[in-house]
Amino acid sequence: MNKVENMSLNYKVICITGTPGVGKTTIATMLYEKLLKNGYKSKIFSINEIAINHDLILKYDEEKDFKIVDIERLDKKFSGLIHDEENNKNDPNSKNNLYKNKNNLNNDNLKPNSENNNKKLIAIVDGHLSHLCSRCDKIIVLRVNPDILKKRLSKRNYSTIKINDNLESEALAICSYEANEIHGNKVNEVDTSNLTAYQVLQICMDIIQDETYLPIGKIDFMDYFLKK
């Protein structure tokens, strides 16, 4: 093992998941920018882009208008991408060297083999499949009232079938259930229905910094089925 490998550090991986339309990409991007401003060395990944760019789509369901992804290969690919970042960040000759100060941040305090350094390395993962990946240290499931979600999805020109599928998934808390089955108490659940994006951002920052824990099970949108 060479010196670069010996100096490898570990990312804290934060997965932002939830039904399409809950605000994952908005919050993930805001988190990424907030972390950079607060002195963290952060990376942001799109699970959807990884699946598309690495040919991990098994097939396309035309009726329901969604892509079926090879989850096992997606998990391996994402874990590999994180591993590559962790083992290349200290190599001054690497084009992926994360010590390069591309955002005018002072990274002089980031020293190899430092516990403080590891705390400053955070990867944000955006996507409704992110919670199915094994390399997650914290999972934040964004939730929203199905009535609000319906309006958002309608603006995306989704088909009626696709809208209804997503509304039912949100009411049944499918992402929360799946995440809990895999990751247990690493999973947090945030009801964004009556919050601004900045309020959601602050809650997510508190979760990342271990200042709050919002376990699943307290958000209930099952009354959606009574309205149908």
Side-chain angles (χ1 to χ4, degrees), residues 28-135:
T29 302
M30 291 174 70
L31 271 173
Y32 170 67
E33 294 172 349
K34 178 77 170 179
L35 289 166
L36 289 178
K37 289 179 181 178
N38 286 2
Y40 287 83
K41 196 62 187 177
S42 184
K43 295 284 287 185
I44 187 167
F45 296 87
S46 166
I47 281 293
N48 291 342
E49 288 184 10
I50 292 172
I52 293 170
N53 293 341
H54 295 278
D55 195 25
L56 303 178
I57 308 298
L58 293 175
K59 63 179 181 178
Y60 177 71
D61 187 320
E62 293 187 5
E63 181 181 2
K64 294 187 176 181
D65 186 24
F66 72 83
K67 302 176 182 69
I68 299 173
V69 177
D70 187 329
I71 300 300
E72 183 176 352
R73 288 175 59 210
L74 176 65
D75 184 21
K76 290 180 180 178
K77 173 55 67 175
F78 175 66
S79 295
L81 291 172
I82 290 291
H83 179 269
D84 289 345
E85 291 289 354
E86 290 173 335
N87 286 279
N88 290 333
K89 67 169 69 68
N90 296 310
D91 182 357
N93 298 315
S94 171
K95 65 180 180 179
N96 295 321
N97 178 16
L98 299 188
Y99 280 168
K100 291 180 180 177
N101 193 356
K102 297 179 180 179
N103 296 284
N104 297 319
L105 295 174
N106 182 359
N107 292 314
D108 293 340
N109 293 324
L110 295 182
K111 303 298 182 183
N113 297 325
S114 164
E115 182 179 353
N116 180 62
N117 194 6
N118 285 336
K119 290 180 180 178
K120 285 288 187 178
L121 294 167
I122 295 182
I124 301 296
V125 191
D126 163 32
H128 74 285
L129 300 177
S130 62
H131 63 278
L132 300 177
C133 293
S134 57
R135 185 65 196 274

Side-chain angles (χ1 to χ4, degrees), residues 139 141 143 173 176 187-191 214-219:
I139 299 86
V141 184
R143 305 289 309 280
S176 298
V187 183
N188 289 260
E189 196 177 39
V190 180
D191 184 355
L214 300 173
I216 70 168
K218 296 183 178 180
I219 302 172

